[in-house]
Amino acid sequence: MTAQTLHPRPRLLPLGDSAWTVEFGDDIAPEIHARVLGFAAALAAAQQDGTLARELECVPAFRSLTVHFDPARVDHAALAERLLAIAGDSGSLQASGAAWRIPVCFDAEFAPDLAAVAESKGLTPDAVVRLMTETEFTVYMLGFLPGFPYLGGLPAALDMPRLATPRKVVPARSIAIAGRTCAAYPWQSPGGWRLMGRTPVHLFDPARSARPALLAPGDRVRWQAVDRDAYAAIEARCARGDFDPDELRAREAGA
Amino acid sequence: MSGLIEVVDAGVAVTVQDGGRPGYRSIGVPLSGALDPWLLAAANALLGNAADAAALEVPLAGPTLKAVSGTVRVALGGEVEGRLISARGSVRPVPAWHTATLFPGDTLQVGGVARGVAYVAVGGGVAVPVQLGSRATYLRAALGGVHGRALARGDRLPCARLHGDPWLEYRAREAPPRADGPIRVILGPQDDHFTADALANFLGRPYRVSRDMDRMGMRLDGPALEHSARGAEIVSDGVTPGAIQVPASGLPIALLADCQTSGGYPKIATVIRADLGRLGQLRPGDEIRFRSVSHAEAVRALQAEAEELARWVGGIESFRPPGVVDEAALYGDNLISGMLRGDEPFAGPA
């Protein structure tokens, strides 16, 4: 099945005159994502050793990677050829980023869709929280909003379509699900995903200039259920600027 | 040793914008920057600024700005005009494509924008702090600009103090010329998600910009575009300003400067770089047509645009604003020395 979802050869797609998208498959699947990560690593290596221009901006996604360039300075055809050559040569790379344990409060106030998800799946709310916290999610990509992670690995038992009518306002730091994917909204925004909880932790902080986004593609995430008091305590520390996100890195053994 | 401008009246939704914030799309940070980078470059050229120096982007009503310290020079670009009210109360018009020099206490009132967006460029660029490599304001994540938001009364904008001749202004006799006709696109990356009829409609029929628009994108009204059997959703992939998404409704959405970095709707086509500024100038009710071009044609269009702009910049001329005595002639005739302009303190020859 996975062999069918990977393209026999990477496809090159034009995103206007200033970006190329190199696509490896059609699905959200670990095998396809591993090709994207392998390609990203090969591009970074080529930029490092000077065989690919550093000014190119390489943006990995679920099943493809988009390379942004300045058409006034970069020859589109030569770049296309080079990208396809690198894509053909690059292999797969298993996700091997950091492991995180991120606190989430699943109280009803923060999780307006949790009860409905539980009911439609024939589960108790506690069982849903258990599924959410026992799963190790993988960060497939960041996109949509600064620091917004798309997390793969949601159990099939929680597979629900998006809301028929998106909310106009999803509160910042909401944890949400749609299909087989989980996500966290770093910012208040409109959104159609189902809201299952909220984290007190900032997922994007421009003051952390070396690493403004907490998560990176390839990272693994477990949600850790916390009660209102623990949530409030961490929230207060974050507001004071007195919370080091490295506290959330999980011990590797058994993670 | 810098100049300082105070915002006396904020106008409506005026933001600091520059060439954008590349380099952070992989962590979901939009490019942002000017809706019309080409117009920004032209306005900056009048002041000798870099093409992508930060300026004020004015979508509707313009701001009123007062020089607090330093002699500062400004220039208006776009379909807008202003007036300069000196500290002593004299008033003179400031047309678009003319620089004007503000001495401390002078005020520039920028009027409403007749069409599209306009820019208020300031000497040396608006020197608000750089955040993640850019001064561009991105409202949703409160990045760049003045505390990541639109201008507010009382804001203070640092800029460069004028070092040249404060009595010598610059102007272009005409607005910079730009291409007209259909907005040029390159089909894809998901043109295979549409029927042949949909492609024919997209390229053959006019669309109208709906009221549903902001710096992130604009919804277009017109013939609904039918998706092929491949469907109206894709696994999210990269997007960029100019990408034209078509959700299940069949009505296209053209993405603009603040657009998200990835999206899950098929993109029928993407506007070429040379026409992004024209796209950014559109307003609700405007009609838009699309034409498909090749990569080679897109490159030629970008070159032609750069050449046109360079030619226009070459035609910028200096002038003495009305009411200001021709200093050089006076010195040349050795008639006076001292006060040159009745309503201003003499700043002295540079």
Side-chain angles (χ1 to χ4, degrees), chain B residues 124-175:
Chain B
V126 180
V128 294
V130 171
Q131 206 169 17
L132 299 182
S134 164
R135 297 185 166 92
T137 311
Y138 173 59
L139 298 170
R140 198 175 288 287
L143 284 174
V146 181
H147 306 305
R149 55 163 171 72
L151 289 194
R153 185 177 170 175
D155 284 347
R156 293 193 158 199
L157 308 171
C159 58
R161 179 189 291 264
L162 178 67
H163 288 294
D165 179 349
W167 313 114
L168 193 63
E169 303 287 356
Y170 295 86
R171 70 179 166 212
R173 294 207 172 257
E174 292 172 344

Side-chain angles (χ1 to χ4, degrees), chain B residues 293-348:
Chain B
V293 298
S294 66
H295 268 90
E297 200 171 333
V299 170
R300 282 196 299 275
L302 199 58
Q303 283 166 349
E305 185 187 62
E307 284 161 14
E308 287 279 329
L309 188 61
R311 213 172 0 256
W312 179 82
V313 170
I316 292 174
E317 60 186 23
S318 62
F319 73 104
R320 302 275 167 189
V324 173
V325 180
D326 186 333
E327 186 186 351
L330 287 174
Y331 280 127
D333 293 345
N334 199 21
L335 292 175
I336 66 159
S337 64
M339 210 63 130
L340 295 174
R341 183 174 153 186
D343 62 346
E344 295 304 340
F346 177 54

Side-chain angles (χ1 to χ4, degrees), chain B residues 64-83:
Chain B
T64 298
L65 308 168
K66 183 176 184 176
V68 176
S69 68
T71 300
V72 298
R73 183 164 279 169
V74 298
L76 303 182
E79 300 206 12
V80 67
E81 53 189 41
R83 46 190 212 145

Side-chain angles (χ1 to χ4, degrees), chain B residues 224-239:
Chain B
L225 302 172
E226 194 193 350
H227 293 87
S228 68
R230 304 200 62 168
E233 286 194 33
I234 59 168
V235 175
S236 289
D237 70 0
V239 304

Side-chain angles (χ1 to χ4, degrees), chain A residues 81-93:
Chain A
E81 209 171 298
R82 185 90 175 93
L83 292 177
L84 279 179
I86 296 175
D89 287 345
S90 63
S92 296
L93 192 65

Side-chain angles (χ1 to χ4, degrees), chain B residues 215-229:
Chain B
R215 281 184 47 86
M216 195 172 172
M218 56 174 79
R219 287 178 191 271
L220 304 176
D221 289 329
L225 302 172
E226 194 193 350
H227 293 87
S228 68

